[in-house]
Amino acid sequence: MTASTLFKMRDFIAPKITHTEEAQRIDALLPQFQCRRCGYPDCAHFARALACFEATPQQCVPASNPALARYLETLADPPAFPIQRISLDVSACIGCARCLKACPIDALSGARRAEHRVIDEWCSGCGLCVDACPVDCLTPKADFSTWSLSDARAAKKRYERRQTRLLSQTKEETPPDPTVSCVAPDVIQRQRKAEIEAALAAARARRRHSPIAP
């Protein structure tokens, strides 16, 4: 039975569906990009919405790929499908670490003010890091790679580990002192802009003083 048929019958069968089990089954078939372009926080939330008939498979942006669209429609075992992984121009990177924060499946390595790298075999090509980069040093590759069900399962595990790590870091942070006034948003914006400008200046200086290849 296709997803379209299920949606047409939702008023009759919804009370009989075990939404948790159905959500787990759908989540196991999703590509696990965690790109949030469906309008939900992650693939698991999107799967629960699908199971409860609160979303449609077409909301999954990667479903524009014909192979992925077919398996989302039939809820069958997904085939491998082509993706465009991301390439990073190390010479242009300023080490701001915004891409590290943006990637939901830890497919980038590095640290603030240090060299960044794309972990090619982990990258899904979702593009969140591209949107986050202030100097456009991240771009989709011209050639295509293959994203399989095993890639999706591995990406889900990395995403879950990342969420656990971020939650742990949040708990360890010292709570703000209520007697101290909050910094105005425009001040924070100016500070961030100044940091980026300083990093850009440092990157330009490195390029000027680097030896020219013969």
Side-chain angles (χ1 to χ4, degrees):
M1 184 179 294
T2 66
S4 297
T5 304
L6 285 173
F7 269 80
K8 291 175 183 177
M9 297 175 62
R10 62 187 181 275
D11 294 333
F12 301 98
I13 67 173
K16 301 178 183 179
I17 291 179
T18 304
H19 289 156
T20 300
E21 293 178 357
E22 184 67 6
Q24 290 174 348
R25 187 169 76 90
I26 296 172
D27 186 41
L29 299 175
L30 291 174
Q32 303 302 325
F33 282 13
Q34 317 298 344
C35 62
R36 303 191 293 275
R37 298 187 181 186
C38 58
Y40 291 87
D42 53 30
C43 292
H45 283 79
F46 179 52
R48 286 197 286 272
L50 285 173
C52 295
F53 305 105
E54 296 172 355
T56 63
Q58 290 73 28
Q59 288 173 239
C60 182
V61 172
S64 59
N65 178 280
L68 187 56
R70 283 196 298 272
Y71 100 72
L72 281 176
E73 178 65 20
T74 62
L75 299 182
D77 289 337
F81 64 96
I83 59 169
Q84 282 181 283
R85 290 193 161 101
I86 303 302
S87 174
L88 187 150
D89 182 356
V90 178
S91 65
C93 177
I94 61 174
C96 69
R98 291 191 176 190
C99 58
L100 304 181
K101 295 178 181 178
C103 181
I105 55 176
D106 284 341
L108 286 132
S109 64
R112 189 173 177 81
R113 297 188 177 89
E115 187 176 277
H116 299 353
R117 294 283 183 181
V118 175
I119 305 174
D120 195 65
E121 62 270 22
W122 289 4
C123 177
S124 69
C126 73
L128 291 177
C129 61
V130 176
D131 296 337
C133 181
V135 292
D136 296 330
C137 68
L138 290 156
T139 54
K141 291 184 177 181
D143 57 330
F144 285 82
S145 302
T146 300
W147 188 261
S148 66
L149 181 58
S150 61
D151 290 321
R153 288 170 176 167
K156 181 176 176 62
K157 289 180 180 179
R158 292 196 304 275
Y159 173 72
E160 291 173 344
R161 286 196 298 267
R162 172 185 170 84
Q163 294 301 99
T164 301
R165 184 179 72 244
L166 293 177
L167 180 61
S168 176
Q169 291 173 353
T170 302
K171 290 180 178 179
E172 290 173 0
E173 290 178 355
T174 304
D177 186 347
T179 63
V180 179
S181 61
C182 296
V183 180
D186 60 328
V187 175
I188 296 175
Q189 189 67 24
R190 286 198 298 270
Q191 289 174 345
R192 289 177 177 171
K193 184 178 180 180
E195 288 179 359
I196 291 175
E197 289 175 349
L200 282 169
R204 286 193 292 268
R206 285 198 303 271
R207 285 196 290 271
R208 282 197 303 268
H209 292 91
S210 61
I212 299 175

